[in-house]
Amino acid sequence: MNKGLISVRYAKALLEFAESKNKQDEIYEQAKFLQDVFINIKNLHAALHNPLIPKAKKREFILTACSDDVTDTFKTFIDLLLSNDREDCLQSIMLQYQEQYRKSKNIIHGKLITAVEIDDNTKNDLIKSIELKVKGKLEVEKIVDPSILGGFILELDFVQWNASLSRQLNDIKKQYIERNRRIV
């Protein structure tokens, strides 16, 4: 069976189960945290794929990776995954859960890239003005990239607004080169 399809089905089931227990927000936070753990600790993914490691040990790995504040709802879900031999799909299930959760709550996920660190007030003001335009809640990850020189780049889903100084300088450079071609 297609692992992508499996992940979508388990994520939908987890969201429905979490909603029935009114724990969808906590599970969402745990899914984001666990996703970061998967990114930073490559061995966790390999351990969950290893058929020689007992399920009890895999459960321990997952719960340890989730930190101390694991809800009973999430523990029940992990037990279900382990009993169905789907622990190797956990990372993609967490990604799908986040996507399903955001869709159900009308949350748009994005990245705000700036040349220097911006304060929370500036970030919040920008988010509020964008939320009014997109008519939804905005969840933004802040990234600092000095190579953009100034301004910002905002990526929401598959749309990008590039108001960076580096892009503007590039545009000026292209215009200058084009004008010089016509002169020669």
Side-chain angles (χ1 to χ4, degrees), residues 104-173:
S104 74
K105 300 284 185 179
N106 194 24
I107 298 172
I108 299 169
H109 182 73
K111 295 178 184 175
L112 176 62
I113 305 166
T114 56
V116 295
E117 186 71 32
I118 61 170
D119 61 273
D120 287 336
N121 288 338
T122 305
K123 177 188 163 196
N124 292 337
D125 290 345
L126 181 62
I127 288 173
K128 285 177 187 174
S129 65
I130 295 168
E131 283 177 341
L132 292 173
K133 298 215 184 317
V134 297
K135 295 178 177 67
K137 188 175 182 321
L138 201 60
E139 182 179 88
V140 176
E141 172 186 348
K142 288 192 317 186
I143 299 172
V144 176
D145 181 3
S147 70
I148 69 169
L149 303 176
F152 67 91
I153 300 172
L154 179 64
E155 298 174 358
L156 299 177
D157 290 334
F158 299 106
V159 179
Q160 182 185 72
W161 290 277
N162 191 335
S164 67
L165 185 56
S166 63
R167 184 199 54 86
Q168 293 172 18
L169 290 173
N170 243 356
D171 290 349
I172 292 170
K173 179 182 174 183

